[in-house]
Amino acid sequence: MKTYVVGNWKLNFTVGEASIYLHKLLKRLPVYRDVEVVVAPPFIALQSLSLQIDRHKLKLASQDGYYKDFGAYTGETSFSQLRGLVNYAIVGHSERRYVFHEDDKTIAKKVAAAVRNKITPILCVGETESERAFGEMKDLIRDQVIGGLREVADDNLDKVVIAYEPVWAISSVKGAKSASPEEVAEVIRLIRETLVDAYGRNAAEKVPVLFGGSVNSANVGGYLTIPGVNGVLVGGASLILQEFTDIIEIAKRVRV
Ligand code: 13P
């Protein structure tokens, strides 16, 4: 399996800044066959960046998408509109869940709509600090994994990626802490077991599972050597060119 390095730019960069950043990144980046480099810019930059990128070096992701194809849904962008523009879509990010109140039902529809439009959803799951403190982490992760995949046909499981992002480890969250390798390993195992129970071992082992939350060039090597971690989802550090290229380099060397 490839190692994934996904940069989530969130609400950062103007279209011009995004283009300059990507130009510099492409110049530095060789073609790595065993590292899948993906960036998720803001929607407004996707069209122009899709003309600029070399897809042998890197792929684009959207940060979200709407499950209806067309219609009276002011402000939304559908996966059918994103088709051909992006290869991946981040779905169910904790900022969508907690800031914009998306639930598992909505997220399941988005995951299915992405698959239907030949876009690989990166389904994000993760508990808050208080959910962990109250002992709800295991049930919550299981519910988010099973709930998010509910509308995906069994034989399409190989078209999804899962990312574990504990909300308390996201750098922009107040008082964020880095997750320890043991904490990450436990949840990665839980995600894999949940997939095995629901879909069988063969299918479950084909699903890439990423880790995200304050990943940077200093800690990425450690996270990538955790058994079952197939890559990283990077927020803040993906906005800094040197950091992001270092992370990609390390992913190439560590190779899970
Ligand atoms: P940070 O890497 O800034 O903690 O963000 C993680 C994240 O939310 C990526 O989707």
Side-chain angles (χ1 to χ4, degrees), residues 111-122:
V111 168
V115 172
R116 190 169 73 237
N117 285 290
K118 312 258 179 275
I119 295 168
T120 302
I122 302 171

Side-chain angles (χ1 to χ4, degrees), residues 8 10 93 95 165 169-171 213-215 233-236:
N8 177 8
K10 307 191 181 186
H93 191 278
E95 285 143 26
E165 289 207 324
I170 294 178
S171 65
S214 299
V215 173
L233 179 50
V234 188

Side-chain angles (χ1 to χ4, degrees), residues 28-202:
R28 287 192 187 193
L29 213 60
V31 176
Y32 284 143
R33 300 220 177 279
D34 39 15
V35 181
E36 182 81 332
V37 182
V38 182
V39 294
F43 274 112
I44 195 172
L46 284 174
Q47 172 69 43
S48 56
L49 297 185
S50 78
L51 303 173
Q52 188 184 333
I53 58 162
D54 173 352
R55 285 191 163 76
H56 297 293
K57 291 187 179 178
L58 127 163
K59 309 270 196 326
L60 289 178
S62 61
Q63 297 176 16
D64 189 21
Y66 196 53
Y67 56 84
K68 298 276 189 185
D69 287 344
F70 300 99
Y73 305 103
T74 302
E76 292 296 329
T77 302
S78 69
F79 290 105
S80 64
Q81 291 170 318
L82 291 164
R83 188 178 182 141
L85 219 58
V86 298
N87 289 82
Y88 295 89
I90 297 172
V91 179
H93 191 278
S94 60
E95 285 143 26
R96 300 300 318 170
R97 292 178 189 266
Y98 299 107
V99 184
F100 299 99
H101 311 296
E102 283 187 18
D103 57 13
D104 285 328
K105 227 168 127 187
T106 305
I107 290 162
K109 289 189 182 136
K110 292 185 171 190
V111 168
V115 172
R116 190 169 73 237
N117 285 290
K118 312 258 179 275
I119 295 168
T120 302
I122 302 171
L123 170 64
C124 299
V125 301
E127 80 289 0
T128 61
E129 188 168 30
S130 64
E131 285 160 345
R132 179 170 273 259
F134 285 111
E136 294 164 0
M137 182 272 282
K138 288 188 178 166
D139 284 343
L140 184 108
I141 296 290
R142 276 195 213 102
D143 287 352
Q144 288 184 346
V145 171
I146 296 297
L149 297 175
R150 190 165 33 212
E151 296 196 26
V152 176
D154 288 10
D155 54 356
N156 276 336
L157 191 69
D158 60 345
K159 300 186 178 68
V160 306
V161 172
I162 294 181
Y164 171 52
E165 289 207 324
V167 179
W168 48 269
I170 294 178
S171 65
S172 53
V173 170
K174 217 168 136 222
K177 301 190 263 295
S178 301
S180 71
E182 295 73 31
E183 285 166 330
V184 177
E186 184 195 7
V187 183
I188 297 291
R189 260 196 319 271
L190 175 66
I191 292 171
R192 197 72 70 182
E193 280 162 17
T194 305
L195 292 172
V196 170
D197 288 347
Y199 300 95
R201 185 158 299 279
N202 260 357

